[in-house]
Amino acid sequence: MKVLNLYHSTTGNTARVAETINKAVRELGHEIDAVKVSKDLEADLLSYDVIFAGSGVYQWLPGKPMIEFITRIRKHYVDAGEIIPCAPRRKGRKAIIYCTYGGAHTGVNEAIPAVKFMGQLFDHLGIEVVDEWYVVGEYHPEKYRAFSTTGRLGDITGRPNEHDLREVAEKVTGILRV
Ligand SMILES: Cc1cc2nc3c(=O)[nH]c(=O)nc-3n(C[C@H](O)[C@H](O)[C@H](O)COP(=O)(O)O)c2cc1C
């Protein structure tokens, strides 16, 4: 099985989740290309059986580099005739979308648009989004410290913690079995 893990992380939380996914996939005996999105990144999304895509949440959306990547690659696939109306399904191709989020104001509701935004790229390509993972991630910048202690999710200092990451690893195992 060919697996891709495409992610963006500004303060390191999503990177920890991404590393957990990579390790779990490799332990199951599959190859995985782990790629941090960047300005000039070109990725052949149609050559993978399973794609994980994730980002931290910033103003309800993925981080800017992920938004820019999705915008650019969407246009590439439109021009190439790979994104067409009705988005016919590509058999056997699956995507799992994940985010880390702080949810200080409205909880998980402020992370949902980010995950839906990322997922639509794959849905448009006919790649089924089989799951969405929302992992809590503390606010690192000092000026947002109160968001990590008195926000809607309570005290999220130290998240994602070992328990969060173990849960991610277990979900990877479960989903790749399917
Ligand atoms: C400037 C800034 C804006 C943020 N905006 C949101 C937001 O709109 N919704 C949310 O749930 N979390 C928000 N967060 C929290 C981050 O999504 C969370 O800490 C995440 O784990 C960061 O991921 P990263 O370290 O991989 O970039 C924000 C954090 C910062 C620093």
Side-chain angles (χ1 to χ4, degrees):
M1 209 184 322
K2 220 177 146 202
V3 185
L4 172 67
N5 187 6
L6 196 65
Y7 69 97
H8 167 72
S9 182
T10 305
T11 69
N13 291 343
T14 311
R16 292 180 64 211
V17 174
E19 282 153 20
T20 302
I21 292 171
N22 300 341
K23 186 164 173 281
V25 170
R26 289 190 182 114
E27 278 173 8
L28 289 165
H30 303 293
E31 279 179 36
I32 182 163
D33 293 332
V35 183
K36 202 168 171 179
V37 297
S38 60
K39 207 167 173 300
D40 305 316
L41 175 67
E42 284 175 21
D44 180 4
L45 301 183
L46 302 181
S47 71
Y48 291 92
D49 302 297
V50 177
I51 301 176
F52 293 88
S55 175
V57 174
Y58 293 89
Q59 287 168 2
W60 324 328
L61 287 172
K64 200 168 163 216
M66 179 60 90
I67 294 175
E68 287 173 354
F69 170 75
I70 288 174
T71 304
R72 185 163 49 82
I73 203 155
R74 187 205 69 92
K75 183 176 183 316
H76 163 79
Y77 282 123
V78 168
D79 292 347
E82 299 285 4
I83 290 181
I84 57 173
C86 301
R89 304 291 90 179
R90 293 175 199 266
K91 204 161 174 280
R93 303 296 162 99
K94 312 280 179 199
I96 297 99
I97 312 300
Y98 62 99
C99 74
T100 64
Y101 74 104
H105 297 87
T106 60
V108 77
N109 286 334
E110 58 182 303
I112 289 172
V115 167
K116 296 294 180 193
F117 182 91
M118 290 187 274
Q120 276 307 299
L121 171 66
F122 302 96
D123 207 4
H124 274 61
L125 278 166
I127 299 170
E128 184 191 358
V129 176
V130 287
D131 213 348
E132 298 174 342
W133 298 343
Y134 296 85
V135 182
V136 174
E138 74 169 305
Y139 295 77
H140 285 289
E142 191 51 35
K143 67 174 174 175
Y144 295 116
R145 234 191 87 67
F147 287 7
S148 287
T149 53
T150 56
R152 180 71 83 87
L153 302 181
D155 189 350
I156 60 166
T157 308
R159 309 277 299 269
N161 57 25
E162 287 311 310
H163 173 82
D164 297 318
L165 297 177
R166 201 163 48 246
E167 195 173 286
V168 168
E170 277 167 20
K171 284 204 253 189
V172 170
T173 309
I175 211 123
L176 288 193
R177 257 192 218 123
V178 175

